[in-house]
């Protein structure tokens, strides 16, 4: 309920004179779940770049005549952002545009570098100044510096991939080329598709391809660079043979849209399978299985299928809840969960319920949902969680937070059960994660602490925010 | 998919100094599905009224410090509106506030009068001038004129009920009283509940009571006036004994939220029963039953239950689609349905599908959904509609339009089947409507043309918009 | 410095298909000094009316594409408003549009009725309800009721003029006619002009005619109705022969723009003459004459001319001060006068100064200006005020307030002199007012209490705001 | 009328816990004439920086609660900007904030570097990337790079001054110090003052000191660095002994506010003297001398004094014209000059007029003003310009444009006279410029082409906008 993916990217390579900004707009709309704090689009009109970006949802930022005012062109790149750092700030909006004499480019980035601190440190001592606090500017610097001694922009990107480390799916747009690139571990998804008119679109998730009427072509391989230009499509993969694939398992469990496929595996199916596993591991006599909308519904269906207990619609989500919602602090008897979710009494009353959610982060939200169901007359509530307990922070682009905020790190399952007030509680067993996707090629560091890259030591409490020591320097 | 309820109302009667505006805000949030074009709140602070209203969603209109700036008080009334008339206009926002020397009042209204044309005509010839085009101003006039010769505001409301005709659920707030009132046929729902601190809340639907933590007390009876004041709660019913109850059946089928109960009947259950009936009437060999989100899901579950065909999640709705969405005219290959809905390929591919929606209005949207599913690999699509075909316009507060726009009026079912491209098509039989709620006390005029009141003759083509003849007068 | 005119009106009668909204926009821009709180435009496109109005300056309200979105047409009417009543409210914006079956009309109004309380009272007891708190709605009611028994709109306006009393300059637009009308006393100015293409424009002040390139034709006579229609221009004057002309003298002294002429008399000249009179009455040995910008400059020039003392530029006004200025409460050492005005040290230092302003209302602002000049080194400051002292409230459309707020009512000139810290102080003698315009046909009730009409008795303390007694009624 | 200064800066050094943002706000309000496109404030709260900046006027950008939300602190720096480059862009707003490990700083800058192209080129080849197109980022880079090898921020600023060349007045704020610095030629003004509570304020013009109640202390010397810190105030001047002072003469003639003093010389007096010179050089029999508001008024007064011809108020400027003004393209008979200025007929009619303006750039505006005066009945119009003809572009921070746009470069005075339709025309003689300020220490390159620094060769047509060649690179 309260975890966030950091970003989504979308790129278009089309014939000149296409309404590329509109295509990106619709693509970003479909990727909005990956970032709701900011968004932006950069259009490439025959080598000239035009950007518009701001804090807000795609529909709000590009409201009025903003979209119509963007020029047509042959390429565009867009970005949606959820910022995990301290204050969300307009200057951190992407794409980042670099107007360097050796070549302009616009970069949109999904992921988090694990060595950004070191890289930034080195760059600053070398005279660089940073305007933003995002990793993307670091990447922009590295690519630009490599560009000074490379014969092409894609060569510069390739060299940069030896330097930057961690999770990144990039769209890099130069005056003449659109470059998609996925980090050697493949932490974050990235795929591309083809439209009827021969345009190509790149997207963080396949759901965004469908949204613009494109047909899925394929996922990028981990470490792959795909270059779209007037010379056609080129793939560069040589440089990164040796790293193991480590796609974020939580993309399947929670972040991605259920209608997306990532590396050939349906997100909806992975969640249904999580439901199957939960049914096998934690069977219970019950009258109805209900999911917490939206991301608990697929696993609830899976649980119902496997257990034979009927699937029911027990919780309704208010579909108008958006970013503008005013916190209900003004009046004590209204809580936010009550505004967002409500119980369907006729489904719940007098029933023994299996309740499926995708995670328990701090426990507060789960406790309130349980209270809602009790008030609506639920007799028993058996909670099943379609992910293992979070025990470790994520350094690859999600806001799974430091250990001390994760309830599972502090309490045993039995204690959590009591805290949230359910009759039984079962987490998806860590060792069954591979059954979700039928492969072991994923990162589950947030569950098991096995980080595929070196991770920052001595990170401050809140790993994402570089606290600035106050006032001593001059 | 494209039908609209016209309004929702919400009222609070509380101890002085309560954050009544906040309570109304949360209540309106829960009623947002009943009207997305405009909203407003009027607070009563010891007899002084403060209003804020504007075009937009509740969360947008009251964004920033708008809510915090409203005073505390002991009463407040709120409104969400969907306007069916020509241009949506700020001046039509409600509540309507009347500052008359014989007594101030604020009125929020859900419904449509069937004799408003006659009433407005008479009032104008009597020297009245109208600022808005809504029926609510007509009601305000009638109540005010009755007020001039009545000993109390509730008496004026009662007398007005003999004059106005059609559908109306009202919240009328005077300096000292909160009055809820439902028309003698009970076309539109209205209920009230009680909060722990002794406050009372009135709402169009019970889901809004839960949203503010209130416990449902009861629905208003058709023709009932309930007065909340410092003298307690009074009910007035004597005046309207003779009219038959005619609650709008489409509230159950489509308009209301599934977690609401109207007149004791769960909306979710009514829809599930529609699914049961469809399964009995139109059985088909199929692999999966999917509903069009959100309002087709309950009936889909019912169909699956009755038929034994598994329930599946086959269509995902983009949860960020809001009012600010820019129409995709800019680029021909993107259609709005594609932005709003997408198919879950793993559910659909190679499958024989039963597709449940709540209505077919013009057929365009259904046709596009079918196309989406075909592209995702659906082998067969059997559409089942959880309502009978629309054949007659509604005069009671929904925008079920004039006959010539209703596809079912122009085409036979077989033709509609071909038009939208499904393998079979079945509508809920008119004669089974009573099974949805287990009673015959409903209005189904949009299906059978049996209007409970006299209806306007010679209405212009578009019944809702009083076309103004151009330029001849001076 | 702190007195406000209440309104300005502007109307256009043009060939069909003219960008009438733009013409009104520029006209209102030129009348902005008459009202800065709200504005609006209603366009008449062959009998259909389109309005846009909101709180704010003309440039802000019609920013973006608001103006471009208004249709072309053959007539339009506009309004700028300064509201003296309690809260400024969007619903009080003008023009007021009335869509009555006997004829639509839009009304823009400058002035205040002196019998509005009685009229409103009578109308309410007759069943009328009021949405606004402005006199304009009362006028709209009266005209509409007369319209029901008149053969034409102009006849209805004429009859209404027998009923309403006080100050009013009106633009009334019907589907086919544009009607300008000035009250029988001619309190507020109103004139019209002609454009090259044969269009006619009506404006509160002649400066707005020039702004749209129109040539001044003439001022309306007091009590005159001028009708612009396809039948040409008609004047109706018969009905009001007996009332004496009483144009507001403060229009000349302060409200109007110096480049306007009212009833043939230049505002700039009237102010210069005030300076001449002050020089004759209150001569003083001095080095320089300076005016408080903007409205004190003309009289300062006159004083300098007559006295022989050189005219100087001694105070500069910050030209960016607008409505959005944040009050400097945050920090005690900054006062608003200091932000708005500053002294030109080289003009002031070591000098004996004659300082000309157009009025002293509460004395605070004058005191601060004097302090500014002292800090800049002024040796002596002799203040001359180009109006007599305010002693009586105005009931005709300005916010010259109740007696107890007017400093001249409470203190003698000698005391005021000490309070604001000047070396000498002289007000324009009441008996010389007629020399400003060379005629006695003006209202100077704010100076001498001689009201041309009956005035409300027992007005509440703040005459403009009908205080609503709290909470007793129900 | 259409020339623009590029920027204004304002800084505060105060005790901790001061409402420094408010002080800067008022300071920027007073400097608004130096830049109307964008503004910003950075507050330093004990070493932590908070910025807010956006496109728009100071009053608009900091409207609402923007100012109140900024923290209190002990230092703040602010900026108003007029951007001469192609599109005005939010990213070019200042102050620029640099968060470098060797020390944070915020920079506000007024002026233009003459070697920025070379510097930027070198920096880019060294791996720097630029986010903005302003010189300020170049300065930030240079200071930061020097900072890496300097013991203090002021030392880094001093070293940077050997590298950057051209016009710059800077406020540089570090966590512990506020540094004001003026380029070695002193092109742009910069001064500081002292408040009663011991705070110091730095401002582009002295008028901004008065606005916040500060007492002027002194102007910075050309090439001087003044450091405000807990150790008091330090001045550094050693480094720049050899450069001649070259203050921009156009600051006196046009840019600065008349109530400012620059380097001890009153701007108002300088303009009056320009009037005196014009009266001596170009005497004419006339009835009245009028100035084009606002900046022609001082010289008009001077002309009147010297010539004995009476000073008159002949043109009124609409004081509500702001940035939101919609261009009157919609209707051909309205021109912008007519909206902005209007003639006072009673001053002008039948008169022989001396018309004083501060410059003629393209001639269009002057032509329209002349037309206005002719329409108002002017018999003769003798134009006197209080500056010599522009013949050369400015490279030091104003938008005096490339030669081909300057009318005086293309036409002889006689031809210009005919073009704008006056009876005679006289420009201030170049050789008399020194009499305005009584010194020769000024830059008048725009008049005589004598640039104090080397200037860019082969500048593109529009010298300010680095045209980007389209599309060839990849």
């Amino acid at each position: 309920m309260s975890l966030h993916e950091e970003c989504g990217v979308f790129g278009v390579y089309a014939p000149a004179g296409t309404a590329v900004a509109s295509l990106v707009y619709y693509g970003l709309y479909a990727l909005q779940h990956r970032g709701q704090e900011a968004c932006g689009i950069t259009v490439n009109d025959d080598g000239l770049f035009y950007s518009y970006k701001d804090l807000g949802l795609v529909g709000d930022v590009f409201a009025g005549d903003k979209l119509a005012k963007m020029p047509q062109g042959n390429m565009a790149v867009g970005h949606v952002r959820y910022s995990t750092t301290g204050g969300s700030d307009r200057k951190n909006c992407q794409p980042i545009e670099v107007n360097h004499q050796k070549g302009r480019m616009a970069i949109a980035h999904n992921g988090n570098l694990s060595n950004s601190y070191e890289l930034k440190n080195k760059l600053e001592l070398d005279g660089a100044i940073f305007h933003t606090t995002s990793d993307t500017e670091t990447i922009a610097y590295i690519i630009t510096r490599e560009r000074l001694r490379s014969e092409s922009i894609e060569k510069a990107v390739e060299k940069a991939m030896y330097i930057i480390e961690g999770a990144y799916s990039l769209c890099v747009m130069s005056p003449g080329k659109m470059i998609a690139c996925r980090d050697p571990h493949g932490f974050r998804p990235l795929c591309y598709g083809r439209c009827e008119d021969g345009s190509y679109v790149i997207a963080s998730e396949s759901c965004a391809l469908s949204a613009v009427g494109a047909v899925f072509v394929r996922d990028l391989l981990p470490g792959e660079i795909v270059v779209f230009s007037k010379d056609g499509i080129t793939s560069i993969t040589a440089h990164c043979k040796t790293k193991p694939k480590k796609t974020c398992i939580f993309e399947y469990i929670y972040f991605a849209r259920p209608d997306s496929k990532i590396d050939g595996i349906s997100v909806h199916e992975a969640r249904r399978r999580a439901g199957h596993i939960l049914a096998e591991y934690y069977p219970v006599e019950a009258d109805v299985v209900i999911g917490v909308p939206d991301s608990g519904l697929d696993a609830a269906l899976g649980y119902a299928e496997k257990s034979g207990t009927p699937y029911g619609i027990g919780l309704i989500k208010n579909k108008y809840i958006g970013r503008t919602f005013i916190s209900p602090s003004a009046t004590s008897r209204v809580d936010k969960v009550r505004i967002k979710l409500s119980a369907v009494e006729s489904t719940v009353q007098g029933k023994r319920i299996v309740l499926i959610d995708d995670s328990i982060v701090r426990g507060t939200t789960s406790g309130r949902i349980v209270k809602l169901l009790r008030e609506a007359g639920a007799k028993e509530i058996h909670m099943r969680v379609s992910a293992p307990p979070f025990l470790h922070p994520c350094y690859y682009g999600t806001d799974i937070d430091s250990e001390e905020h994760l309830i599972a790190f502090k309490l045993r399952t039995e204690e959590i059960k009591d805290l949230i007030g359910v009759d039984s509680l079962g987490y998806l067993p860590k060792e069954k994660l591979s059954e979700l996707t039928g492969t072991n090629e994923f990162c589950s560091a947030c569950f098991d602490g096995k980080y595929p890259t070196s991770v920052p030591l001595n990170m401050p409490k809140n790993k994402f925010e570089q606290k600035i020591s106050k006032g001593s320097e001059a």
Side-chain angles (χ1 to χ4, degrees), chain A:
Chain A
M1 300 302 294
S2 59
L3 294 175
H4 298 275
E5 172 67 45
E6 275 187 43
C7 297
V9 301
F10 193 87
V12 175
Y13 184 88
T18 301
V20 284
S22 291
L23 283 174
V24 174
Y25 174 80
Y26 300 122
L28 295 181
Y29 230 113
L31 296 173
Q32 186 76 80
H33 61 288
R34 296 184 72 85
Q36 295 98 48
E37 293 210 343
C39 60
I41 298 176
T42 302
V43 167
N44 180 337
D45 175 16
D46 196 16
L48 290 176
F49 285 18
Y50 302 85
S51 292
Y52 191 82
K53 44 191 185 173
D54 208 340
L55 298 179
L57 295 174
V58 175
D60 293 330
V61 166
F62 289 94
D65 56 356
K66 298 282 167 37
L67 196 59
K69 275 184 171 170
M70 298 205 80
Q72 301 198 316
N74 65 322
M75 287 189 256
V77 61
H79 191 265
V80 289
R81 172 178 177 83
Y82 171 77
S83 120
T84 53
T85 49
S88 61
D89 200 331
R90 212 148 57 184
K91 72 188 171 202
N92 280 329
C93 295
Q94 298 193 26
I96 284 190
E97 203 184 321
V98 176
N99 287 303
H100 192 277
Q101 54 178 290
K102 280 292 176 181
R104 257 154 301 131
M105 65 176 174
I107 307 185
H109 167 225
N110 170 213
N112 250 94
L113 301 190
S114 46
N115 66 339
S116 65
Y117 183 80
E118 292 79 358
L119 292 174
K120 200 175 165 183
N121 189 41
K122 199 166 158 302
L123 284 163
E124 284 204 343
L125 291 178
D126 205 29
I129 58 180
F130 285 83
H131 290 263
T132 77
T133 57
S134 78
D135 286 1
T136 317
E137 197 178 6
T138 305
I139 297 176
Y141 259 116
I142 304 280
I143 295 178
T144 297
R145 297 200 168 200
E146 294 305 323
R147 185 77 180 90
L148 286 170
R149 41 180 178 261
S150 305
E151 75 269 26
S152 69
I153 174 76
E154 59 266 36
K155 207 70 199 167
V157 170
E158 187 181 350
K159 286 182 189 166
M161 290 176 75
Y162 288 96
I163 300 168
I164 61 178
E165 200 170 273
Y168 54 90
S169 286
L170 302 176
C171 278
V172 180
M173 180 170 74
S174 78
K177 295 172 184 168
M178 174 66 73
I179 296 161
C181 141
R182 194 174 174 196
D183 68 70
H185 293 292
F187 281 108
R188 300 284 149 227
L190 196 65
C191 63
Y192 72 94
R194 194 174 190 284
C195 300
E196 272 181 29
D197 69 350
S199 301
Y200 286 90
V201 294
I202 303 157
S204 285
E205 285 182 40
S206 63
C207 65
L209 303 182
S210 325
V212 299
V215 175
F216 176 85
V217 174
R218 64 177 178 87
D219 293 282
L220 266 76
L221 297 174
E224 185 179 9
I225 300 168
V226 176
V227 184
F228 301 84
S229 76
K230 64 178 172 359
D231 304 323
I233 306 178
T234 323
S235 167
I236 304 168
T237 54
H239 62 101
C240 60
K241 284 271 155 57
T242 55
K243 299 216 180 146
K245 185 173 173 191
K246 289 290 175 190
T247 305
C248 169
I249 191 69
F250 217 62
E251 290 277 352
Y252 292 100
I253 295 173
Y254 173 76
F255 292 134
R257 259 174 53 172
D259 52 326
S260 285
K261 275 187 180 177
I262 301 175
D263 294 341
I265 298 148
S266 159
V267 171
H268 170 66
E269 288 309 310
R271 291 180 190 170
R272 258 175 85 196
R273 271 174 236 150
H276 296 167
I277 297 165
L278 287 169
E280 284 173 337
Y281 258 66
Y282 309 106
V284 64
E285 279 288 308
D287 302 306
V288 66
V289 183
I290 68 176
V292 178
D294 297 314
S295 49
L297 298 179
D298 311 271
L301 187 60
Y303 194 103
E305 287 166 350
K306 195 69 169 191
S307 64
T309 309
Y311 175 84
I313 295 174
L315 288 165
I316 298 293
K317 188 172 160 192
N318 186 326
K319 57 186 168 179
Y320 297 99
I321 292 290
R323 292 215 53 223
T324 51
F325 186 78
I326 297 166
S327 158
S329 59
T331 170
S332 58
R333 66 192 150 202
V334 177
D335 68 68
K336 190 162 178 179
V337 165
R338 205 174 277 280
I339 305 298
K340 203 170 164 185
L341 290 175
S342 62
V344 179
E345 204 180 289
S346 67
T347 301
V348 165
Q349 194 161 36
K351 302 285 175 52
R352 294 166 302 172
I353 287 164
V354 179
L355 175 70
I356 312 282
D357 204 350
D358 48 49
S359 56
I360 299 176
V361 183
R362 283 181 199 79
T364 338
T365 300
S366 303
R368 288 195 173 140
I369 293 170
V370 166
K371 187 154 176 279
L372 269 185
L373 293 170
R374 296 278 186 210
E375 285 173 12
K379 214 164 67 182
E380 292 175 20
I381 301 174
H382 302 277
M383 187 163 186
R384 301 294 178 261
V385 182
S386 60
F390 292 118
L391 292 169
H392 306 275
C394 171
Y395 296 100
Y396 306 116
T398 73
D399 69 343
I400 298 168
D401 212 333
S402 68
E403 301 184 353
E404 64 198 272
H405 289 115
L406 303 171
I407 191 176
F409 188 77
K410 292 185 288 186
L411 300 178
R412 283 169 303 118
T413 300
E414 193 61 21
E415 292 168 321
I416 298 171
K417 189 207 79 166
D418 292 345
L419 183 83
I420 64 182
V422 289
D423 298 286
S424 74
L425 171 63
Y427 282 96
L428 188 87
K430 251 184 295 198
E431 57 276 18
K432 305 296 276 181
L433 276 173
S434 62
E435 291 184 17
L436 267 57
T437 60
T439 159
N440 271 310
E441 296 181 316
F442 53 78
C443 172
S444 52
C446 53
F447 305 127
D448 58 22
K450 293 178 187 158
Y451 296 101
T453 69
S454 63
V455 294
L457 296 174
N458 308 320
M459 280 290 268
K461 265 186 179 181
N462 180 333
K463 73 186 165 61
F464 296 107
E465 191 173 358
Q466 292 293 110
K467 276 277 190 256
I468 296 162
S469 61
K470 289 179 75 179
S472 59
E473 55 178 314

